[in-house]
Amino acid sequence: MPIKVQSNLPAIKVLESENIFVMPDDIALKQDIRPLKILILNLMPTKITTETQILRLLGNSPLQVDIELLQMASHVSKNTSSNHLNTFYKTFDEIKSNTFDGLIITGAPVELLDFEEVDYWDELCRIMEWSKKNVYSTFHICWGAQAGLYYHYGIKKHALPEKLSGIYTHNVLDPHHQLMRGFDDTFQIPHSRYTGVKLEEVRKAPLLDVLAVSEKAGVSIICSKSGRQVFVTGHAEYDRDTLANEYLRDLNRGIEPQVPYNYFPNDDPLRVPPMVWRSNATLLYTNWLNYFVYQATPYDLNELENYAQ
């Protein structure tokens, strides 16, 4: 899928080196089609890395995607330059009058805080409420999934005995669901979190379908019956070395983390982790774009308010 972004976004060089089709603004304007409008609310501290990871997964379909990056006005990012944010990101006030085919809400390293203690929680709630009438389908990642489940369905997150970090095997519960089409019976994706949601509590929500679970990592993929909300409790978008970088970061902080599960060969941090989840991640995002964004979104996005959640 040609990804339409600003021509000087740092992610472009990385993606082009991987033969992922990135389309600058000037070329995209010459195509007589309506691109899919995707808004990415990036809550991760390493914003440039996360931009690249998500754009990579959106770039595997024949349609044009118009990307808009969103930041929180109520939070000051300490790990990304203000120049990058001012150049490539918008705030909610700048986009709230617009409509979008899809919205991606990333994870955030604030899991140990109660939702209401997060400094941008009120702003995030406004965005999630706004999305009901201004976005057709929203894809929530990790803490973003926990936040969405809590806000929309009242499902609480629970602290885990220790950090869940590693590559976990998941079982597909509904292979005929559109989001899971093409998946093998089992698949692997990374997780990196201190909290989780309980399967039995998710199943009490009548408007939600549980699509994949892991014996060790718990409930993993959830979709609303309308297809307008998707929740993924792991990080399918992670790079090969993301968990390694997190592990080394925690070591340097004196946290004494466990070696990520099923990640380093023989649990040896000096060895290169095998990349065993890229195809699963690509399929997950492609299915979401195809079945719940491209095929389901009305051509005229002004009609979104007529579609039930």
Side-chain angles (χ1 to χ4, degrees):
M1 175 180 297
I3 305 171
K4 177 179 173 290
V5 294
Q6 293 186 50
S7 58
N8 54 342
L9 186 73
I12 288 180
K13 290 185 178 180
V14 177
L15 297 174
E16 287 182 337
S17 72
E18 299 174 3
N19 292 320
I20 293 175
F21 188 5
V22 180
M23 181 178 292
D25 290 331
D26 54 345
I27 297 177
L29 290 173
K30 298 176 182 177
Q31 291 198 331
D32 189 20
I33 61 173
R34 184 179 86 73
L36 298 177
K37 295 176 61 179
I38 303 295
L39 180 67
I40 301 175
L41 174 54
N42 190 353
L43 304 175
M44 293 291 278
T46 52
K47 297 198 185 309
I48 295 176
T49 297
T50 302
E51 294 159 17
T52 306
Q53 291 171 344
I54 293 177
L55 292 178
R56 178 184 293 118
L57 293 173
L58 295 176
N60 200 38
S61 176
L63 301 174
Q64 184 187 131
V65 176
D66 189 348
I67 300 294
E68 196 81 72
L69 297 173
L70 182 65
Q71 63 171 316
M72 306 303 278
S74 51
H75 178 78
V76 178
S77 178
K78 300 177 182 178
N79 297 281
T80 304
S81 72
S82 58
N83 179 64
H84 181 84
L85 294 173
N86 293 335
T87 302
F88 300 110
Y89 280 76
K90 293 184 177 178
T91 62
F92 180 52
D93 283 343
E94 293 177 291
I95 60 91
K96 65 183 181 182
S97 61
N98 299 335
T99 51
F100 295 86
D101 297 280
L103 164 65
I104 296 174
I105 301 178
T106 74
V110 292
E111 299 160 80
L112 294 178
L113 296 175
D114 289 340
F115 290 116
E116 292 80 5
E117 293 179 347
V118 176
D119 61 0
Y120 51 78
W121 177 249
D122 288 343
E123 184 180 5
L124 179 58
C125 288
R126 291 196 296 273
I127 292 172
M128 290 190 290
E129 186 63 29
W130 163 88
S131 72
K132 293 179 180 179
K133 292 185 178 180
N134 290 269
V135 177
Y136 189 79
S137 185
T138 301
F139 191 109
H140 309 72
I141 301 170
C142 198
W143 182 84
Q146 296 177 12
L149 289 168
Y150 178 69
Y151 179 77
H152 293 293
Y153 300 97
I155 297 171
K156 298 180 179 180
K157 63 183 176 72
H158 301 274
L160 301 174
E162 60 184 10
K163 184 178 182 180
L164 185 79
S165 176
I167 311 302
Y168 296 89
T169 298
H170 303 75
N171 298 306
V172 174
L173 301 185
D174 186 357
H176 302 295
H177 193 280
Q178 290 174 315
L179 195 63
M180 306 312 296
R181 285 185 179 175
F183 272 80
D184 294 328
D185 291 342
T186 62
F187 64 95
Q188 294 179 308
I189 59 170
H191 286 261
S192 178
R193 50 189 168 86
Y194 289 93
T195 56
V197 294
K198 294 184 177 180
L199 177 60
E200 59 270 22
E201 294 181 2
V202 175
R203 282 183 164 158
K204 289 179 181 178
L207 297 180
L208 296 177
D209 290 323
V210 178
L211 304 181
V213 297
S214 167
E215 182 178 344
K216 294 183 179 293
V219 59
S220 177
I221 299 178
I222 305 160
C223 187
S224 66
K225 293 188 182 299
S226 66
R228 296 193 62 186
Q229 294 173 338
V230 173
F231 306 92
V232 178
T233 63
H235 282 284
E237 78 283 359
Y238 267 10
D239 290 325
R240 180 195 306 273
D241 60 354
T242 306
L243 288 178
N245 292 336
E246 292 180 356
Y247 173 71
L248 293 174
R249 176 202 64 197
D250 290 348
L251 275 179
N252 292 333
R253 291 176 176 175
I255 296 176
E256 298 184 359
Q258 296 288 328
V259 174
Y261 172 80
N262 193 33
Y263 180 57
F264 296 112
N266 297 326
D267 287 340
D268 182 355
L270 298 179
R271 298 184 63 180
V272 177
M275 187 72 180
V276 295
W277 63 92
R278 176 65 54 77
S279 60
N280 307 320
T282 301
L283 183 58
L284 178 63
Y285 276 75
T286 301
N287 282 351
W288 173 65
L289 280 174
N290 183 32
Y291 295 115
F292 299 113
V293 180
Y294 170 61
Q295 294 194 33
T297 309
Y299 186 84
D300 183 355
L301 290 176
N302 292 319
E303 299 177 3
L304 278 175
E305 61 183 20
N306 299 324
Y307 286 71
Q309 282 279 341

